[in-house]
Amino acid sequence: MAEFAMKRDCSLVFSQSVFDELYEHLFPGDGEEHAAVMLAGMVEMGGRTRLLVRELHLAVDGIDHVNGNYGHKMIRAEFMRPLIRRARVERLVYIGVHNHGGRDYVGFSRDDFDSHERGHPALLDLAEGMPVGAIVMAKNAVAGDIWFPDGTRCELHETRIAGPNIRRLYAEADRSSHAAAIQFHRQVQMFGEGGQELLRKAKIAVIGAGGVGSLLVEYLSRLGVGSLIVIDPDTIDVTNLSRVIGATTTDVVGPSWPIPEFLKRLLFRYPRRKVDIAKRVAKQANPGIDFTPIADDFATDSAARQVLDCDFMFLAADSMRARLVFNAIVQQYFIPGIQIGSLVTPGKDGKSLDSVFTVTRWVLPGTGCLWCSDTIDRHQLAVESKSGEERRDQDYGSGATNPSVITLNAVGASIAANDFLFSFLGLFGTSVAANPRRVHHMERRVVDQKLTPNSECTECGSTSSSRFARGDGAELPTSR
């Protein structure tokens, strides 16, 4: 392990495709040392730093990566120089990477630390206010030495790969034991005490506390998720009672109900918020849960920023603005998520149904982008961006409400919650792809869609203008 005291909580996050490319380069099977340089976005929140790998530059053996003057190997200055310049101009973090042999444990050698002492101060000067660092990898292990402009220096607390299976790598495998609460005994029989501990430490956001969101709150709380943030600006009304889990008649009053008029006026003036009902459900299922209710529109900057230190997100809100912000956070901050919805299409005669389906869409860094899949309607987004007065003046109307049935919501919510569970605990098979899944209920048919990423996409693409892995270096598309 490193010979310096940890001054910060610092982690590193890869998209699955970038990690796979790096791993294949470092471990081609020849047992030799190989190297690369990564450029990463940065997130600083609550005293913690998260580095998001945006670009990978592979050093060619014998050309860019050569025998060293002091240690075993080194990356040539000619390879490093344009990359540290890029890091300075684009406000990215420069990280050198090489491999050692072995498995499940890795650490920097004395020669490695000596090279950091010689080279990192100069790199910090060239980076002009951005951190620089190095990581070393073995099979199933990653260690890091990150230097900051204020003179602090830290090891990597964790390296995470945000793929269909969320993997966590450390300098040394965690061999500590954990004791789960007895209420989770039957779950522990499936995924062990360690899996239950991961759920206890997880911080999850549910955006939307209506028909789908309320079910997700129930499921996640009973799974033992330790911390939930639930965002929804709406209050409960009588039409919600058929589908919002936990809502009761005491939460809402109808105009014809036989209660005193003054009480009706009071209840209409102060109806129960959906996030308050969600909190009640969560606490009843898991009294120890840390629950944060946010009665606000997710598309506002203050609400959206509440989820930036979460481990996973669920989007159970219908608006295009919510989809826009959700998608941006996944790609910009590397927080994986699943969007859930259902659609009922009436027949032209008004008496039949054309289609009824439920969809769950995975959105991971570089995969499943809602822009690439045309899931964000530009016209509707423009309508939603107008004020209520502007919509009335331009005769947009408020739009008809969509049909909503609790059984359809339950299908989407259960698939999404189960996919989260298997992903978060690494239980999926190696061949699983994060494709959208549609359940066509009238035909009892399930279809997995295949999406092709667009390298030119301004959200998830590799262009210099994309928000991919930018972290705090780009603005979110939120309203103030």
Side-chain angles (χ1 to χ4, degrees):
M1 299 296 289
E3 299 175 0
F4 48 87
M6 181 177 291
K7 302 294 185 182
R8 297 172 181 246
D9 184 323
C10 186
S11 60
L12 180 70
V13 190
F14 285 91
S15 64
Q16 184 71 61
S17 60
V18 171
F19 180 82
D20 289 346
E21 184 181 1
L22 176 61
Y23 191 88
E24 290 174 9
H25 175 70
L26 295 180
F27 302 103
D30 59 4
E32 295 294 326
E33 179 182 307
H34 305 281
V37 169
M38 305 183 301
L39 300 183
M42 184 169 69
V43 183
E44 291 193 292
M45 191 172 186
R48 294 183 293 175
T49 300
R50 197 162 75 245
L51 304 177
L52 317 173
V53 180
R54 175 176 165 84
E55 297 181 18
L56 175 63
H57 300 269
L58 306 177
V60 178
D61 294 319
I63 299 175
D64 306 316
H65 189 227
V66 297
N67 292 329
N69 297 323
Y70 299 95
H72 178 50
K73 295 277 189 177
M74 71 174 193
I75 297 177
R76 296 184 63 197
E78 290 80 1
F79 183 74
M80 297 167 57
R81 195 175 295 119
L83 297 177
I84 191 66
R85 287 175 182 159
R86 287 269 310 285
R88 179 184 69 238
V89 171
E90 298 192 28
R91 313 313 292 162
L92 299 171
V93 180
Y94 176 99
I95 305 172
V97 53
H98 71 284
N99 64 292
H100 286 179
R103 185 179 185 86
D104 297 332
Y105 169 81
V106 71
F108 290 104
S109 68
R110 183 68 263 169
D111 285 343
D112 289 334
F113 280 127
D114 288 344
S115 72
H116 301 171
E117 296 285 352
R118 289 190 302 269
H120 283 184
L123 289 175
L124 280 172
D125 288 341
L126 292 170
E128 294 185 356
M130 296 300 292
V132 301
I135 70 168
V136 59
M137 294 178 59
K139 293 181 178 179
N140 203 40
V142 178
D145 178 14
I146 312 299
W147 292 45
F148 292 83
D150 63 3
T152 58
R153 180 178 174 185
C154 75
E155 301 172 349
L156 281 181
H157 166 68
E158 178 185 79
T159 296
R160 190 173 293 198
I161 300 97
N165 271 323
I166 296 175
R167 292 182 61 198
R168 300 162 186 84
L169 300 176
Y170 306 92
E172 184 174 5
D174 181 11
R175 305 186 188 282
S176 56
S177 59
H178 308 280
I182 189 63
Q183 71 193 80
F184 303 116
H185 172 68
R186 297 288 289 274
Q187 295 175 184
V188 168
Q189 289 180 323
M190 174 180 167
F191 45 71
E193 303 273 3
Q196 193 64 55
E197 179 66 7
L198 286 175
L199 291 173
R200 187 192 67 80
K201 293 163 60 177
K203 186 174 186 179
I204 311 300
V206 177
I207 301 144
V212 174
S214 64
L215 283 158
L216 286 168
V217 168
E218 175 90 39
Y219 297 157
L220 296 171
S221 301
R222 293 193 182 279
L223 281 173
V225 166
S227 182
L228 271 184
I229 294 178
V230 179
I231 303 175
D232 195 308
D234 293 338
T235 54
I236 200 77
D237 67 46
V238 69
T239 67
N240 301 139
L241 293 178
S242 64
R243 63 188 184 278
V244 173
I245 299 303
T248 69
T249 54
T250 58
D251 295 316
V252 63
V253 61
S256 61
W257 285 20
I259 61 176
E261 196 62 33
F262 80 91
L263 188 54
K264 283 186 183 180
R265 288 195 299 269
L266 181 64
L267 292 175
F268 277 131
R269 186 176 178 184
Y270 300 108
R272 184 82 67 179
R273 302 183 307 179
K274 289 182 179 178
V275 292
D276 294 327
I277 295 171
K279 181 176 182 178
R280 185 172 67 207
V281 167
K283 288 290 187 178
Q284 288 172 346
N286 181 5
I289 197 169
D290 180 6
F291 191 98
T292 304
I294 301 175
D296 199 358
D297 182 352
F298 177 63
T300 63
D301 197 66
S302 59
R305 292 195 174 277
Q306 297 292 313
V307 310
L308 297 186
D309 63 344
C310 286
D311 297 297
F312 204 93
M313 301 184 295
F314 293 92
L315 179 61
D318 294 332
S319 77
M320 293 300 145
R321 293 175 67 232
R323 291 186 186 185
L324 176 74
V325 175
F326 169 85
N327 189 68
I329 290 175
V330 172
Q331 304 304 335
Q332 184 173 330
Y333 285 89
F334 279 20
I335 302 172
I338 300 176
Q339 184 254 332
I340 312 103
S342 59
L343 183 64
V344 178
T345 305
K348 292 182 179 180
D349 60 6
K351 300 178 181 179
S352 60
L353 296 173
D354 274 355
S355 67
V356 180
F357 70 82
T358 301
V359 64
T360 53
R361 297 184 180 93
W362 282 50
V363 189
L364 304 177
T367 303
C369 171
L370 297 183
W371 274 117
C372 289
S373 61
D374 294 323
T375 308
I376 300 174
D377 186 289
R378 294 175 185 270
H379 171 72
Q380 185 60 32
L381 182 62
V383 171
E384 291 177 5
S385 298
K386 298 178 183 292
S387 67
E389 184 177 344
E390 287 173 328
R391 286 196 293 269
R392 287 191 299 272
D393 290 344
Q394 297 176 35
D395 197 28
Y396 283 110
S398 59
T401 58
N402 295 320
S404 182
V405 179
I406 190 171
T407 52
L408 303 181
N409 296 337
V411 171
S414 61
I415 290 174
N418 199 60
D419 279 351
F420 155 76
L421 177 68
F422 275 65
S423 172
F424 202 70
L425 303 187
L427 301 177
F428 280 125
T430 56
S431 62
V432 167
N435 294 325
R437 174 170 293 173
R438 284 179 181 248
V439 179
H440 293 266
H441 298 280
M442 294 178 69
E443 298 86 19
R444 300 189 72 230
R445 180 167 53 96
V446 179
V447 177
D448 278 354
Q449 299 173 291
K450 292 185 179 180
L451 299 179
T452 302
N454 176 9
S455 62
E456 301 298 313
C457 177
T458 58
E459 302 296 301
C460 69
S462 56
T463 63
S464 60
S465 60
S466 79
R467 71 171 66 252
F468 183 75
R470 287 289 183 183
D472 293 337
E475 293 294 322
L476 285 171
T478 51
S479 58
R480 298 296 173 179

